[in-house]
């Protein structure tokens, strides 16, 4: 069994109230695959970069056993670029620039070897590209999809097509409100359920995440952190940890989904501790597991008789 990840690979300029970086490794597929690499393989990536994409970033992905046969490098092309600035409240960020560059004409080709992957994570990119990838798969069994306001506002019809074919949708609270056109998140879940996904995960930044299925609602805390250095990629990292754990365990029960949400939250906490992907580059699985266990004490309490 293998896991296929598609999404953006990019160069990010990020400023927080504490520091800034330029040309840092970014992109949804980058964060998802790095996070998932701590769980199990084989891990396949489909994406595109330009010739300006530094070799050291390719090497980093390869060192995490991510199969890059599906990565196109466009001669003379420019890599996807994103520029973001965080406010003092790190839950709030402004996107200052999104340059699709090589993604504008990207025609994703899934290598034959990847086509039988059963677990698929459609990272945040144009939903038309997410659909193109899905169309090439032989028998996808578990599809996790992510999107953002940029596509909800700009590609709603295509996104609606995609949602019919996604098992789990992972979005943040403002995106859920925007997609459902409903301010209340419980009502928003019901509206999004009617669009297709049988499971919805709503990320709420430093306030944790909510998991909705037809039978349960599960509220996961976020790991309390004294220093959040750079929240970029936290959502994608969450998705990578979530699907990585489910792929490793091959158990799609509701109880295991809850564990996967906690593993996703644990991975996201490592991501935000450092700039760009640095927090995900040299982790050991035992540290991920230790943090996962720490979550149990965050909201466990005994009922008094
Ligand atoms: P997150 O903080 O989880 O929303 O993810 C941030 C990452 O998403 C950054 O590294 C960006 O390069 C990437 N990103 C931002 N906007 C887009 C977009 N419109 N399409 C694809 N990827 C994007």
């Amino acid at each position: 069994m293998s896991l296929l990840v598609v999404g953006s690979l990019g160069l990010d300029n990020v400023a927080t109230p504490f520091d800034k970086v330029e040309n840092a490794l970014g992109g949804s597929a980058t964060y998802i695959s790095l996070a998932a690499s701590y769980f199990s393989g084989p891990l396949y990536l489909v994406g595109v970069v330009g010739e300006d994409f530094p070799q050291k970033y390719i090497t980093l992905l390869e060192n995490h056993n991510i199969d890059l046969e599906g990565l196109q490098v466009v001669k003379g092309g420019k890599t996807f670029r994103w520029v973001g600035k965080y406010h003092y409240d790190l839950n709030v960020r402004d996107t200052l620039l999104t340059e699709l560059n090589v993604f504008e004409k990207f025609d994703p080709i899934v290598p034959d070897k990847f086509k039988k992957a059963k677990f698929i994570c459609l990272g945040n990119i144009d939903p038309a590209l997410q659909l193109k990838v899905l169309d090439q798969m032989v028998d996808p069994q578990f599809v996790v999809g992510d999107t953002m306001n940029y596509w909800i506002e700009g590609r709603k019809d295509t996104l609606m097509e995609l949602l019919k074919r996604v098992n789990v949708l992972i979005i943040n609270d403002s995106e859920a409100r925007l997609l459902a056109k409903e301010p209340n998140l419980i009502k928003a879940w019901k509206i999004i359920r009617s669009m297709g996904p049988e499971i919805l995960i709503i990320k709420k930044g430093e306030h944790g995440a909510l998991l909705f299925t037809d039978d349960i609602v599960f509220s996961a805390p976020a790991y309390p952190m004294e220093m959040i250095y750079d929240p970029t990629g936290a959502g994608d990292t969450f998705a990578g940890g979530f699907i990585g754990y489910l792929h490793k365990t091959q158990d799609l029960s509701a109880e295991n989904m809850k564990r996967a949400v906690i593993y996703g939250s644990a991975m996201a906490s490592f991501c935000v501790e450092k700039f760009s992907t640095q927090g995900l580059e040299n982790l050991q699985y035992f540290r991920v597991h230790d943090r996962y266990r720490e979550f149990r004490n965050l909201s466990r309490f005994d009922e008094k008789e």
Side-chain angles (χ1 to χ4, degrees), residues 28-43:
S28 53
T30 307
Y31 283 103
I32 294 168
S33 52
L34 282 175
S37 73
Y38 288 93
F39 294 87
S40 73
L43 190 51

Side-chain angles (χ1 to χ4, degrees), residues 122 127 130-131 134-135 140-145 147 155-169 179 191-199:
L122 304 170
Q130 293 173 314
L131 271 173
L134 217 42
D135 283 341
Q141 284 182 0
F142 187 67
V143 181
V144 173
T147 193
R155 291 268 197 285
K156 184 81 184 266
D157 291 349
T158 320
L159 183 62
M160 294 306 279
E161 280 308 303
L162 178 81
L163 290 182
K164 291 181 197 149
R165 298 169 63 184
V166 159
N167 299 96
V168 183
L169 178 67
L179 178 62
I191 295 166
I192 292 171
R193 175 72 183 95
S194 71
M195 296 172 179
E198 60 257 35
I199 296 169

